Amino acid sequence: MQENIGKYPHRRYNILTGEWVLVSPHRTQRPWQGKQENALQKHGVEYDPDCYLCPTNIRASGEKNPKYESTYVFVNDFAALMPNTEAFSFDKGLLKAEGEQGICKVVCFSPNHSLALPDMELKDIEKVITVWKKEYEELSSLKDINHIQIFENKGAIMGCSNPHPHGQIWAQRSIPTEVLKKTKTQKAYYVANDRSLLSSYLDQELELNERIVSINETFVSLVPFWAVWPFEVMIVPKRHMSHVGQMTDREKSDFAEQIKIVTQKYDRLFDTSFPYSAGIHQSPTDSVHEEWHWHMPFYPPLLRSATVKKFMVGYEMFGMPQRDITPEIAAGRLKAL
Ligand SMILES: [Zn+2]
């Protein structure tokens, strides 16, 4: 029964990862006496002399940033992966390890220290998307690079060390776990149905219209049926494309519009600069992956105000993710903003 999933404990299946989430809608009434955090602050100054990402400043590595005027990309001074790592493997009994090669880049979205994606003009968000396309294409042509992860960590609550608007790109030899899961599910569906999994999913969501947050000619933003984070959103292109390199100019501006709409709704939700981790999941670059339909999930930690965060602890560390507010209620609140 459709109405049961709005009332009673149940688990929902994530078609992309093959995993489950526990949903407990009846718990949204329980009293909260947990942690109260100070409201997050918007950052006011356009230029901060102490910021290592602002134009003309000197970074910890001693390098000086150029006087950039739109976007600026550089190799991370404290990279988690390095291109010249030796290709070694360690295999001893039950202990196994491999050397991992890669490149980590930082993408400054704007020279203006005070802006975030929701505050930027559409044409400037489009420039960021152009950088993502170019980096995906360039990095994918490199030897030993089989996957490219584009992402943004926004807000101190997400462990972001600098408020200057920026994201990261980690390109590496191996294909990471989350991407392997999504490759497997999408491939199985594509082989069986000759259609991408997300094309069929979008058809169903558009028909039901229960979890759609925003829509334009070529993109849909929705709260996935299997969302784990309270206000999780996924931006999906309507057209089946494996990676961002395949976007047309029209799609690029529609994508920019959806990023702006979703992040503006987020800021309005709790009247704060809304923190999140967002990233683009797309085709690995080891070979052609026609099964892949790229998408951009946003994972925000806030639950009921600018100061109350959802924690992934206890049962969630030992069992599986759990949420109280249903994805339908979350989508309704975001849509109404
Ligand atoms: Zn800055």
Side-chain angles (χ1 to χ4, degrees):
M1 287 268 293
Q2 181 82 4
E3 67 187 48
N4 288 346
I5 67 168
K7 278 191 203 160
Y8 304 114
H10 61 279
R11 58 181 196 144
R12 295 192 187 193
Y13 184 64
N14 182 332
I15 55 169
L16 284 168
T17 60
E19 292 168 351
W20 296 82
V21 53
L22 184 64
V23 186
S24 317
H26 60 295
R27 290 219 313 174
T28 48
Q29 298 310 317
R30 87 199 148 111
W32 178 260
Q33 292 184 313
K35 193 178 177 194
Q36 297 285 333
E37 291 177 48
N38 292 326
L40 304 167
Q41 303 271 313
K42 280 239 178 194
H43 296 274
V45 293
E46 289 183 15
Y47 170 78
D48 176 354
D50 296 325
C51 167
Y52 68 88
L53 300 176
C54 274
T56 72
N57 288 358
I58 292 169
R59 302 200 302 271
S61 62
E63 273 194 67
K64 186 179 169 146
N65 295 330
K67 196 176 184 322
Y68 66 96
E69 279 166 6
S70 61
T71 57
Y72 172 54
V73 183
F74 63 91
V75 174
N76 196 326
D77 301 318
F78 304 98
L81 293 160
M82 295 180 295
N84 46 5
T85 303
E86 213 180 307
F88 66 88
S89 71
F90 175 84
D91 208 336
K92 199 170 186 183
L94 295 173
L95 312 181
K96 190 173 167 138
E98 288 174 352
E100 181 74 5
Q101 299 81 36
I103 300 169
C104 295
K105 292 187 173 186
V106 175
V107 181
C108 297
F109 296 161
S110 162
N112 186 333
H113 185 85
S114 69
L115 296 183
L117 284 173
D119 317 312
M120 286 169 61
E121 291 189 30
L122 280 179
K123 66 170 173 49
D124 294 326
I125 300 176
E126 273 186 56
K127 285 177 190 160
V128 175
I129 298 170
T130 304
V131 170
W132 290 342
K133 281 185 70 167
K134 183 170 161 271
E135 289 292 333
Y136 180 86
E137 283 171 338
E138 284 179 11
L139 288 164
S140 67
S141 68
L142 298 180
K143 185 177 164 282
D144 288 337
I145 295 299
N146 295 315
H147 182 261
I148 294 145
Q149 186 58 56
I150 295 167
F151 66 98
E152 179 194 6
N153 264 345
K154 179 169 173 258
I157 206 171
M158 297 306 292
C160 178
S161 55
N162 187 322
H164 194 107
H166 72 284
Q168 299 185 54
I169 300 175
W170 290 21
Q172 67 190 106
R173 183 189 58 82
S174 73
I175 302 170
T177 318
E178 288 302 304
V179 180
L180 284 176
K181 288 181 210 164
K182 291 188 174 184
T183 302
K184 196 176 161 196
T185 53
Q186 291 184 101
K187 187 156 194 169
Y189 190 89
Y190 188 73
V191 168
N193 299 280
D194 199 23
R195 193 161 191 244
S196 83
L197 178 61
L198 286 182
S199 296
S200 298
Y201 175 64
L202 278 189
D203 281 354
Q204 197 175 348
E205 286 290 15
L206 288 169
E207 195 187 318
L208 289 170
N209 196 20
E210 288 172 345
R211 282 166 294 273
I212 309 286
V213 170
S214 175
I215 190 165
N216 61 24
E217 196 68 23
T218 58
F219 279 82
V220 181
S221 301
L222 53 82
V223 178
F225 181 73
W226 53 81
V228 164
W229 295 94
F231 294 94
E232 182 174 331
V233 164
M234 180 164 81
I235 303 179
V236 193
K238 287 184 185 168
R239 186 165 70 89
H240 173 200
M241 284 181 271
S242 300
H243 57 79
V244 293
Q246 293 166 324
M247 250 186 296
T248 63
D249 285 348
R250 171 65 200 270
E251 285 167 332
K252 209 170 70 178
S253 62
D254 280 355
F255 182 34
E257 185 188 67
Q258 288 303 306
I259 290 175
K260 188 167 170 86
I261 289 171
V262 168
T263 54
Q264 278 191 331
K265 282 176 180 287
Y266 275 164
D267 279 7
R268 282 184 209 136
L269 183 65
F270 299 132
D271 192 27
T272 189
S273 180
F274 201 81
Y276 57 74
S277 272
I280 295 172
H281 263 155
Q282 56 188 326
S283 167
T285 59
D286 59 328
S287 64
V288 175
H289 285 274
E290 282 190 3
E291 72 277 10
W292 259 91
H293 188 137
W294 74 265
H295 51 279
M296 182 178 196
F298 285 73
Y299 303 132
L302 295 184
L303 178 59
R304 68 187 79 206
S305 73
T307 59
V308 178
K309 182 185 164 206
K310 175 183 172 62
F311 289 95
M312 286 282 191
V313 294
Y315 176 79
E316 301 178 306
M317 287 175 124
F318 294 102
M320 66 172 158
Q322 185 272 341
R323 61 179 295 141
D324 294 346
I325 172 181
T326 64
E328 294 70 43
I329 287 174
R333 286 184 60 185
L334 288 170
K335 190 177 181 176
L337 287 164

